[in-house]
Amino acid sequence: MDFIDQVKQLSARIEKIKDGIQTEEATKTSMIMPFFQMLGYDVFNPLEFVPEFTADVGIKKGERVDYAIVDEDGTPQILIEAKWCGENLDKHGSQLFRYFSTTKAKFGILTNGIIYRFYTDLDEANKMDDRPFLEFNLLDIREPLVAELKKFQKNTFDIDMIMTTASELKYNQQIRQFFIRQLASPDDDFVRYIVGEVYDGLKTQKVIEEFRSIVKKSFSQFVTEQINDRLKTALGSEDAPQVAPKADESTDDEVHTDETDKDSRIVTTPEEIESFYTIKTLLHDAIGEHTISYKDTISYFGVLLDNNTWKWICRLQIKSNSIKLLLPDENKKPLTFSLNSLDEIYDYKDKLVEVVQRYLNE
């Protein structure tokens, strides 16, 4: 079985069991240990995969990190700090930071069994960076990152090889996050830079405010065009998806989009894909470690939290002469809003965030 198939297999398993995992220990045994077993490590050999590894910090003795992967001489190569699968990792980086500086380990991994954050010391030798150079989400697999994860397999593990790409990965991720933020809400500096390229007048704050919505729409349209071009290239210009009318009648029957279950009347259009990525961008900061997915049906295009049809964030009905956005109320009854264009989805960011927060607080 190819490595990516192993990753997808583990991802499917974790998707099924994560809601039933209630403790850190259960997370370790059912989610984290299988992950490192997939990477080729003998998780039951304490001479290779050491549980409760001692990492004394200053005058504090007996400090222990959850796991350490060590070489044949017993020297730690990777430190692993584990948390419960429902835990937000943002507040736990400092703990791994303290352990890192007291050992010879070159890499630190902070994980809750779903998110794996990989750290090293790019900024200052023997001092763990504040930000990870790689973040891998088992419930949102990105194939380019699978190749980077593969470098941590036992039989291919090479510190020098990983370090040569770690810096590029780190800044690539930060740049990507920057563009996500600007796509959702361009800040003054970003707008000022763009305005400086296209506007010869004085760049006052009033001008910046006037251009902000223009920059936002232009950026969104550019990204959409790139997505559409790729779709056309992948499918062939003659076979590129065309806007297909949805049935007028409403139905709660969900139709899966996989090949074995997909209704031939369902065509996922570029406009629907555009709306999905717009919504995903708007909700990036709100969902934390959760995932956003979509499911197309005969009557609407639905956006879901954690691929759960009971947690639908919104539904779109896109026709040649109308666009309707449906949002669930507290009782999951649809509230309908008419849009003049897909760009108006941005105006509903607060309402979309409110829906997600309602699900997260259930």
Side-chain angles (χ1 to χ4, degrees):
M1 183 184 296
D2 290 340
F3 181 66
I4 190 169
D5 294 326
Q6 295 178 47
V7 174
K8 290 178 178 179
Q9 187 178 68
L10 179 61
S11 172
R13 178 176 181 272
I14 287 175
E15 178 67 53
K16 290 180 181 179
I17 67 173
K18 63 181 177 63
D19 293 336
I21 304 299
Q22 301 300 321
T23 66
E24 182 179 304
E25 286 304 312
T27 301
K28 290 178 182 177
T29 56
S30 62
M31 299 171 73
I32 296 173
M33 289 175 68
F35 176 85
F36 288 97
Q37 196 169 36
M38 177 188 69
L39 290 176
Y41 297 99
D42 185 351
V43 297
F44 300 107
N45 179 1
L47 300 180
E48 177 178 312
F49 194 82
V50 186
E52 297 296 312
F53 182 82
T54 301
D56 293 336
V57 180
I59 61 173
K60 296 183 68 176
K61 303 299 180 182
E63 290 285 290
R64 298 179 183 277
V65 64
D66 289 300
Y67 300 105
I69 295 175
V70 301
D71 62 16
E72 294 178 354
D73 298 326
T75 303
Q77 303 294 304
I78 304 172
L79 301 181
I80 304 156
E81 182 66 14
K83 299 299 174 185
W84 169 55
C85 62
E87 194 83 43
N88 188 319
L89 295 179
D90 291 341
K91 58 185 179 181
H92 293 294
S94 60
Q95 195 172 4
L96 184 60
F97 182 92
R98 294 199 310 272
Y99 298 148
F100 187 90
S101 61
T102 67
T103 74
K104 295 182 179 180
K106 197 62 178 176
F107 301 103
I109 299 176
L110 177 63
T111 181
N112 59 8
I114 297 172
I115 306 290
Y116 287 79
R117 293 179 178 172
F118 293 74
Y119 297 84
T120 188
D121 56 353
L122 292 171
D123 297 335
E124 186 177 340
N126 302 318
K127 183 179 178 181
M128 193 181 88
D129 298 336
D130 292 332
R131 297 181 180 180
F133 67 89
L134 172 64
E135 180 170 312
F136 194 88
N137 186 339
L138 272 171
L139 297 184
D140 185 17
I141 298 172
R142 302 175 185 272
E143 293 201 15
L145 297 185
V146 173
E148 301 302 327
L149 178 63
K150 191 174 182 179
K151 294 176 183 177
F152 283 87
Q153 283 185 304
K154 178 183 176 180
N155 61 358
T156 59
F157 183 70
D158 184 320
I159 291 177
D160 292 335
M161 181 178 68
I162 296 173
M163 292 301 293
T164 58
T165 58
S167 179
E168 181 180 341
L169 280 171
K170 176 182 177 180
Y171 293 112
N172 178 285
Q173 180 169 309
Q174 290 180 27
I175 290 170
R176 181 176 174 275
Q177 293 300 321
F178 169 79
F179 280 126
I180 288 175
R181 292 195 302 273
Q182 301 310 318
L183 187 59
S185 179
D187 60 31
D188 285 2
D189 289 339
F190 185 76
V191 175
R192 187 175 290 109
Y193 173 78
I194 300 297
V195 171
E197 294 293 315
V198 301
Y199 179 73
D200 295 328
L202 190 64
K203 286 76 174 175
T204 65
Q205 189 61 36
K206 182 179 179 182
V207 170
I208 298 300
E209 292 301 328
E210 290 174 349
F211 268 92
R212 193 184 308 279
S213 61
I214 299 173
V215 170
K216 182 177 181 178
K217 289 182 179 180
S218 298
F219 197 5
S220 174
Q221 288 169 0
F222 171 75
V223 172
T224 299
E225 288 168 2
Q226 295 300 305
I227 292 171
N228 288 344
D229 287 346
R230 290 196 175 193
L231 281 172
K232 291 176 182 177
T233 300
L235 298 175
S237 58
E238 294 182 359
D239 297 326
Q242 302 297 315
V243 176
K246 303 287 184 181
D248 290 333
E249 62 273 10
S250 177
T251 175
D252 288 331
D253 295 331
E254 299 289 352
V255 182
H256 295 279
T257 56
D258 58 76
E259 294 301 320
T260 59
D261 197 30
K262 184 173 178 179
D263 191 305
S264 61
R265 293 171 293 172
I266 297 173
V267 177
T268 301
T269 68
E271 289 78 9
E272 290 169 334
I273 294 296
E274 174 190 348
S275 67
F276 170 71
Y277 280 107
T278 297
I279 293 164
K280 189 171 183 179
T281 299
L282 293 175
L283 294 176
H284 177 265
D285 293 333
I287 63 172
E289 294 160 3
H290 296 265
T291 60
I292 301 291
S293 59
Y294 69 81
K295 179 172 288 187
D296 208 355
T297 75
I298 295 173
S299 57
Y300 60 78
F301 178 85
V303 179
L304 312 175
L305 181 67
D306 292 332
N307 203 30
N308 187 336
T309 54
W310 291 101
K311 295 182 179 180
W312 63 281
I313 298 170
C314 67
R315 293 168 179 170
L316 282 151
Q317 295 175 333
I318 304 174
K319 301 178 182 178
S320 59
N321 58 354
S322 70
I323 303 173
K324 291 182 179 179
L325 174 68
L326 287 73
L327 297 171
D329 65 12
E330 291 81 357
N331 299 312
K332 297 184 181 178
K333 299 295 183 183
L335 302 173
T336 303
F337 302 88
S338 295
L339 309 183
N340 294 316
S341 72
L342 292 180
D343 285 339
E344 291 187 10
I345 293 175
Y346 286 101
D347 298 334
Y348 291 84
K349 177 180 178 179
D350 291 344
K351 292 184 181 296
L352 290 164
V353 170
E354 182 183 330
V355 171
V356 168
Q357 289 176 341
R358 198 158 63 231
Y359 288 139
L360 296 182
N361 291 331
E362 286 181 349

